[in-house]
Amino acid sequence: MLASVAQPHGDQDVQPLLVVRDLQAYYRTSHAGVRRGIRAVDGVSFTVRRGEIYGLAGESSSGKTTLIKSIAGAIKPPLEIVGGSMEFAFLPGYGGLHRAPRAMVERIRWRHLSYIMQGSMNVLNPVRRIGSSFIDFAYPHIGGSRKQFEQQVVAHLARVRLDPSVLSAFPHELSGGMRQRATLALATICRPGFIIADEPTTALDVVVQKEVLGMIRGIQRETGSSVLFVTHDMGVHAHITDRLAIMYAGRLVEEAATAEIFGNPLHPYTKNLISSLPRIGEDAPRTGLGGAPPNLADPPSGCRFHPRCPLASEICSRKVPVMREARSGHRVACFAVNGDDPA
Amino acid sequence: MSGYAGYVGRRLAQFLLVVFIGINIAYVVTHASPIDPVEQSISAVTSFGNTAPDAIEQMRRSLRELYGLGGTPVEQYLTFWKRILSADFGPSMSAFPTPVGTLIGRALPWTAGLLAVSTLIAWVLGNLLGGLAGYYRQSRGLKLMGVIAMGLHPIPYYILAMLLLILFGFIWPVLPISGGSAMDLPQTLTVEFVGSVLQHAILPALSLILIGVGSWFLGMRSLVANVLAEDYVVYAELAGVKSSRILTSYVMRNALVPQVTGLAMSLGGIFNGAVITEKVFGYPGLGSLLVDAVYAGDYGLVLGVTTISILGVSVGVLAIDLLYPLLDPRVKVS
């Protein structure tokens, strides 16, 4: 194996923050005796290093949300973890939040693992002042006197350029951008080691989007947190992530440094994804990919992309391709790139 | 803050308008009744024997004056408002010469006491249990309670009331079946009298609470189920906020807002008297008074009871409208 090239953040000797191994998360329902399983996440493995922003891209219903729900331990029926493990540096030996005792999970949440949710506009309790939300979310972890805590919150709000007066405001009294920044401050006040960001900028206009992305980057650099950044928007990934994984139909198909993915995509799906992005100065119409993403209740055999793949060969419908390092630090799951898997 | 003061002013004006229209409607409806109370009283008197025609004519005139029926319709209407504004509804026609105000004053504490207490108990119990049942959906006890509430809810109220009467009045006769207190006790504040009042209130209160708890329970449970799916609850759970805090400040607090509106409406409705409750349990409240007044064509009394209930409902709604901005900060006052 080639020695890994210099990484922009973290070094390889340090234990990674999160190691996901062969994770399988299915939605299992049973109606009138007919059992159905939707294999939303099926054999996903990846590692999030300390201090990096790890991007996860994929179209709708590719399993991104299921994957982060599983990692965040928000597992409610019909979602079920069927196999695999998620090992956090701050929770060694349990293989995931869902296996740890409840009291321990309550201590870990927000202290070590926080969350910026999709639809951040509505994540603040409408009948509670922003300051009370800070107390509910962060005070049990930070402790000390109320006064000290308040000073800390005010200092932290300044990082996202919010006035201390927002603490006495109700969420509906703030603009969308201010609410987003307040949520960002709420998610980072405890300086967690790991932040999951699920489409944090999707509902925002591009100006606010850029501002929020800059703030996430700034806080992440300052606290040395790792971020798992999930969005379908490749432009946002190009802007903020260090490494990027592409998900398709419940599996990872490619993973590399973000610049490498954009400059040298290997998987046919990634290639299509990149080439579909508009570029300034180009006026040729974009060609789309034929077909639609598969139904995960009955996914295609072998490589799940083969029915839509321009490079598909006979083996693709028979065998499941595994993620292999095609180049240094660049993993891809494709027979057309890796050749026939001997295993 | 001036925004709130302006809001209060506008709401008060609206309140006065509603009360004015309501009382006018009550006036028109009672005066359109085909029963002429004066002729009724006269025929009641004359049926006992012969009376001189000019004596009858004089009686007719003085009765019309007493009841505010003298003069042209416009004069009658003005007299009516003069009396309303001085809180004087004239003498009752069916219980002549007791003033209507005295009759209402006697009945009101019974109704207000019974209904206010049972409405509040039902509201608190129903919302508490309904909220818990919505939050802890796996709990067997609360699931069972849901089934019971579902079963109780559709039973017509008078059937349930009769059932309770039969159960605790006849089959297992432990409670009095009629009246507000024991007949032989003087209505003074003695331990004996209060005990008797409480004992007499158990059955009617129980019937009201059983029905009330059922509907508050079901309403609150489905409100909580909706709130649980809100982003801010999901987020607080992901953040590891203590579940007791989530239940109270996040779930219940948001689900209670519409329930408080409901409480104000039913507290205002108290002044209507639970007509059926008071009839079934022979309770000496406003409901019984109203029904008897309607039968007797005593429209001074009907108007009096109606005016009280119009005022009650309007004050209830007004109070809630004034409190709403404090309850739900999203309600803009300006």
Side-chain angles (χ1 to χ4, degrees), chain A residues 51-70:
Chain A
E52 76 170 346
I53 300 189
Y54 186 90
L56 188 63
E59 56 201 0
S60 306
S61 78
S62 59
K64 299 184 306 260
T65 302
T66 308
L67 178 56
I68 52 180
K69 267 189 195 163
S70 307

Side-chain angles (χ1 to χ4, degrees), chain B residues 24 46 59 118 129 134 159 164 170 209 261 301 311 317 331:
Chain B
N24 274 319
T46 49
M59 190 157 78
S118 45
L129 294 173
I159 303 273
L164 287 176
F170 297 99
I209 290 170
T261 314
L301 190 49
L311 276 174
V317 175
V331 175

